[in-house]
Amino acid sequence: MEVLIHRSAEAGGRVVADVVEDVVRRGPTVLGLATGSSPLLAYAELIRRHREEGLSFARVEAFLLDEYVGLPAGHPESYREVIRRELTGHLDIDADRVHAPDGSHPDPPAAAAEYEKSLVGVGVQILGIGTNGHIGFNEPGSSLMSLTRVKTLARQTRDDNARFFGDSIDAVPRHVITQGLGTIARAGHLVLTAAGEHKAAAVAAAVEGPLTASCPASILQWHPHVTVVLDDAAASRLERASFYREIAAQKPAWA
Ligand code: GLP
């Protein structure tokens, strides 16, 4: 696991954008996209590179991590809409090649199983982290080998996400479809990004705590290719922060 600590969240956003640009320029690729505020600076930077530097996403296929159950299609807070608004709608990627679980399906478990089957060959998977250590919507207690399925949100997550629903926790759906931890771990390269002190405890548990379902993001420790991109505040509870900084500062050209 490579842990990169930057002074600002903006610098972290550029690093995540660099990883994505690198795979996109190499040829056809499948990207795993996260919603939430964490990747927004990276997405803004990718949009800028598309507009100003001709970075093309025409050969990209994209899969979202998760979706709320029960929001009508086209609801502004459905993750399908959020990703269109924040990223894909500003790129030259065909809308039919951006996939999300169908949260308005009358049979959510069937929609989850269908999505799981369609998820193949994800190269880079972008991830945020919840304040309780969730990735995607895999709440604490999620099986480390779980596949895409319906989950019930923890109260803390609904509380955290109420800001997107007029500050009303009652307006936040209770159920979601999320890629499982086993599904996420099939991606070739996991890139988790976090900024702010409110993420510091979850980041420390994920990076330096035990591998445990109590912190779903700790699954990163089980994966062979992981990059964690943090600002100083999100890294503030890491015991080995100075070692990670030293590794990054002395990285040889061949690494
Ligand atoms: C959300 C999403 C996650 C996201 C996380 C953190 O509920 N399901 O994919 O990474 O919680 O959100 P944020 O980046 O807004 O802090």
Side-chain angles (χ1 to χ4, degrees):
M1 182 187 301
E2 182 172 38
V3 181
L4 302 172
I5 305 170
H6 295 274
R7 284 233 172 84
S8 69
E10 286 73 17
R14 286 192 292 275
V15 169
V16 174
D18 288 346
V19 174
V20 173
E21 171 165 2
D22 187 51
V23 288
V24 166
R25 286 208 188 272
R26 264 190 265 147
T29 193
V30 183
L31 291 179
L33 299 176
T35 45
S37 41
S38 304
L40 289 182
L41 289 166
Y43 292 167
E45 176 63 11
L46 288 170
I47 294 167
R48 190 196 67 73
R49 293 182 192 186
H50 168 64
R51 287 189 179 146
E52 296 175 16
E53 296 169 11
L55 178 63
S56 173
F57 290 78
R59 293 180 301 172
V60 169
E61 180 147 27
F63 286 90
L64 280 191
L65 275 175
D66 46 14
E67 181 59 284
Y68 292 110
V69 165
L71 296 182
H75 187 288
E77 290 311 323
S78 76
Y79 281 169
R80 182 182 276 284
E81 276 303 298
V82 171
I83 205 69
R84 189 189 56 72
R85 201 164 59 231
E86 305 289 0
L87 179 65
T88 55
H90 305 277
L91 306 175
D92 58 341
I93 179 170
D94 188 340
D96 291 344
R97 286 162 65 86
V98 181
H99 310 283
D102 181 359
S104 59
H105 196 288
D107 182 351
E114 207 173 292
Y115 195 62
E116 173 67 30
K117 268 193 262 162
S118 69
L119 268 159
V120 241
V122 176
V124 171
Q125 172 67 58
I126 308 290
L127 296 166
I129 183 170
T131 53
N132 63 0
H134 76 226
I135 52 173
F137 269 136
N138 293 280
E139 299 286 28
S142 293
S143 156
L144 297 176
M145 293 183 75
S146 49
L147 301 179
T148 306
R149 69 225 183 283
V150 177
K151 291 291 283 179
T152 304
L153 290 182
R155 191 180 166 88
Q156 188 178 339
T157 303
R158 292 179 66 232
D159 227 3
D160 288 347
N161 288 3
R163 66 191 195 279
F164 300 115
F165 291 86
D167 280 328
S168 158
I169 187 171
D170 293 329
V172 183
R174 283 179 187 279
H175 296 101
V176 293
I177 297 174
T178 182
Q179 288 189 33
L181 297 174
T183 317
I184 292 168
R186 289 205 302 262
H189 183 186
L190 304 181
V191 181
L192 184 140
T193 180
E197 206 172 341
H198 62 301
K199 296 293 175 75
V203 165
V207 173
E208 296 181 340
L211 173 60
T212 168
S214 296
C215 177
S218 65
I219 193 74
L220 265 57
Q221 298 176 35
W222 197 247
H223 192 280
H225 192 186
V226 174
T227 307
V228 178
V229 182
L230 307 170
D231 71 347
D232 282 334
S236 59
R237 292 179 71 165
L238 290 172
E239 279 179 19
R240 290 189 292 269
S242 55
F243 181 46
Y244 307 138
R245 287 193 175 94
E246 185 187 326
I247 294 169
Q250 318 220 332
K251 195 168 169 173
W254 45 259

